[in-house]
Amino acid sequence: MTNNSGAAKRGPTRRQFLKMGAVSAALPLLGACSSDDQGDIPQQGDVGESAAALFDPLKPPTQLITAVSAASVLTLTWSAGSVSSGVPRYQVYVDDELQLETDKTRITLDGFADDRTHAFFVRTIDTDGRQSAPTGQSVREVATPDDASRPPFLIAIPASNGVQFRWAHPTGDGSATPAEYQLFREGEVRPLAVLGADRVSGAAPETHFFATGVLPSIENEYFVVAYSNASIAIGEALNRVRVSAYRRTWPRAANDFQTPGSIEAKQDSDTVTVSWASADPSAIFAYNVFAGDTFVGRQIQGMDLVIPADRIAAGASLHVIAVDRAGYSSPRSAGIGVAGSDSVRARPFDGEFRTDGFTILDPDDRAFIPVGSNMSGLDYFWNEKVIGESAAAAENWRWNTVRIGCGMSDWGAISGGYLYFQNNDLRRIVDEYTSRGIVVILSQFSKGAQGQVGSTDGLLNTAPGSAPDGTGRSIAEAMTDWWVEVAKIFADNPYVWINPINEPGGDLDGLEGQYRSMLSRIRAVAPRTPIVLDAANFANDIPNSATIGAGPVDPEQSFVLSRGPNLMNDFGVARGYGPVMFSIHAYSRWPVNYGGDGRITDEQLAARMRAFVTEARQRGVPFFVGETGVEDWATEYDSASVRVGLYEQGLLDGRPVGVWQEQQVGVLAWHTSPFSGMPVAADDRDWFSVTDVSEASPQPDAGVGLWNYSHSPG
C-alpha cells in the first residue's frame, strides 16, 4: 500500500461536531440509574495505564464506552479506577458539568434532546474528595442508531506512550463485515491508520490501533470509517472520540528517595538470603543487590532475596540499591559482609545470553552468530508485513535474529506522511518472534540526531525542550525515558536485545558519555538485558577525517575498538550485567581510499574488514554487522561492501562466502521492506514469500548472500 493510495481514499462527508466549549451549556434534568449488569455493552481488555496513573494511587477510570440504546437514552460504561484505600466512587460529567456521583461502572442517562451532540468523561474520587485525571472524552450525537452497517462504537484509551483506539465490527449480517477500516484525525485527509482484511486468509480487519502521534496539550477529534472495498465507504462509527493527549510525567531522583536500610544477610551451604528495609516502598520499582561492584540479583516484589552462594565471591560485601520507575537509583546501602564462595560460577545466571571475549554465547552456551534482517516495527516509516510471518523468518530464511526499527511520531521526527500502521503492536511482534527462538533487537530511529534542530555531530540533543512533545524534556531525556519503559516491559525475556541509538555521529567522547547516561538508567530496570551499541560515524565506525589511506581502520578512530572495552567493563558481564555488544553498518565508507582518490580494491577492502575483526578479537569486543545493503541508485561503494562482505571470498558447500561469514561475524541485511530500495527479496516478491535462494535479491544485493549464510552447515 502506498501513500498515494492512502491519500486518495476519502471518508464520507464529515458532520461538524461541536467543540467542548461550544456544546450546550446545560442538559435537561437527567434521570439516572445505575446497575452492575453490563448488558450488551462491549468490554475491552486491559491495555495499560497512563504514566501518571502508574505513580499515583488515585487512578482514573479507563475504557469509557458510550452507547446509544434508544432515542434520547445513553449508556456509559468504564473500567474501574482505584484509590489508596476504600471503595472508589466516580463523577460523571456531561458537557463539562458534573451530573452525578456513583460507585458503579455502568450508568444510563435519559432526557437528551434527540440529534444533539454532547461530551462525556468520568473521574475517580476518594473519600477526601480528591479527583483523578479524567478519562478520555467521548463526544457523540445522542440519536437513535439507525444503521446496523456502521461500527457501533469507537473508544480511545490513553496509555503510557500513546492512545489505544478500539471499535467494533458493524452489528448487521455477515455480509456487512468491512474489508477495511480507516482511522482519521479531524481536519486531516490522510488517515492515521488503514487496517485491511488479511489478503491470504480473508480474515476480517483488526478493530484496534495504537497511536503514538498524539501531541501533548492538543485536543483532537477522531473517527473511524468502514469500507466495503478500498474506495467505497460503508459508514462512520456511531460515535467519535475527543482525545486530550496523555501526560508523561516521569519521576526524578528526589531528595527523599532514600537508601535501603537495615541490611541483613544469612548464608547457608548453598544460598545467601539478603533482607533490607525501605522508608517508602510504594515509590520503588525494584531493588538491585550487588556483591562489591557486581550485580547479583534483583527483587521487584518484597524486601528480601535468596541468592545462590556461588554468585558471590568470597569475602564480598553486599549492598542494595533502590530503583524508581524512571530508572533512577538511590545511593548504595551500607555494606554487609558474607562468606561467599571461593569458586564463583563463570555463568551466574542461567538461560540467558552472555559474551566470552569476542564470542556471543546463547542460553545453551553455544556460539551464537546473529544472522537475519532489519524489519519495520512500532511507528516505523515502512510497512511491510511483519506480524504473522515469523514462520517464514525461522523456517524459510532460517534467521536467528531480526532488528525491529521503532519510531516516535509524537516527537514529529519521522511521521512525515509515511505508512506505519501495520506493525504497531510491539508486544505481539516480540512474543511471536522470540517464541520461535529468534532474537529481537529493538532499535530506536527517531533520535533527531541527523538534521534535528540543535543536534551536534549526530548526538542526541540535550537542550531542554528539544523533544517536540511538549513535556519540556530534551531529546536525550525523552529517548532514555522511552527506553526505560520498553526495558521494564521486556526485561525478563533474554531474546529481546536493546539497541539504544541508530547511527549516531562521529564525536567519540560525546557518544560514550551519552551511552553511559542512557545505560545507567536502563541497567537499573533491566540489568540482564543484552545491549547492542551502534558504532560512531553513522555506525560505519570510519570517520571522514581518517587518513588510513588504503590500509586498516585506525583503532583509536574506531568507537568499537577504542571505547568498547570500557563500556563492556562498566555495563556488561564483568559487572554481573547482561552482555554489551556492538554493531557496525557496512556501507560506502568502508571502501574509501582515505587520503587518496576513489575507492580501494576489493582485495584491500577484504583485508580492511579482516583486520577490524582481528583487532576486535584481540580486545575481546563482540560485534556484528547490523546493516548492509545496496540502494538501487547507489554508487559502486555500497556494492563493494556487500559483495566483499557476503560474496566473492570462496565457496562453502557450493555457496559463495564473504568476509563476514569467513570470520564468523553476524550480519543483518537492510531491509525486508520493498520500500527500502534494498530489499532481501527479489523484485515483485514479499520477503515472507521467499522459499528458495532463487527468489532472494541477487548479488550485489544482500538477499542471496544472506540466504547462503543462514543455510550454511553448522
Side-chain angles (χ1 to χ4, degrees), residues 42-72:
Q43 299 299 305
Q44 307 300 324
D46 184 18
V47 297
E49 301 170 293
S50 70
L54 286 172
F55 312 127
D56 188 343
L58 183 64
K59 297 182 180 180
T62 59
Q63 306 180 44
L64 176 65
I65 300 174
T66 55
V68 177
S69 53
S72 304

Side-chain angles (χ1 to χ4, degrees), residues 609-695:
M609 290 175 169
R610 292 188 183 104
F612 192 90
V613 177
T614 298
E615 285 283 351
R617 287 185 192 278
Q618 291 175 348
R619 296 165 188 251
V621 181
F623 82 92
F624 57 89
V625 179
E627 291 184 18
T628 192
V630 184
E631 187 73 71
D632 288 344
W633 46 263
T635 67
E636 60 183 280
Y637 289 75
D638 272 0
S639 176
S641 290
V642 176
R643 287 188 293 101
V644 173
L646 292 176
Y647 306 95
E648 298 183 354
Q649 304 301 309
L651 299 175
L652 176 63
D653 196 29
R655 294 188 174 100
V657 174
V659 169
W660 304 128
Q661 185 173 356
E662 167 201 285
Q663 296 293 315
Q664 296 186 304
V665 172
V667 177
L668 306 181
W670 183 268
H671 191 283
T672 54
S673 173
F675 301 109
S676 68
M678 46 182 113
V680 295
D683 291 344
D684 303 321
R685 296 198 71 90
D686 293 316
W687 72 269
F688 48 82
S689 69
V690 173
T691 58
D692 184 79
V693 66
S694 64
E695 299 168 345

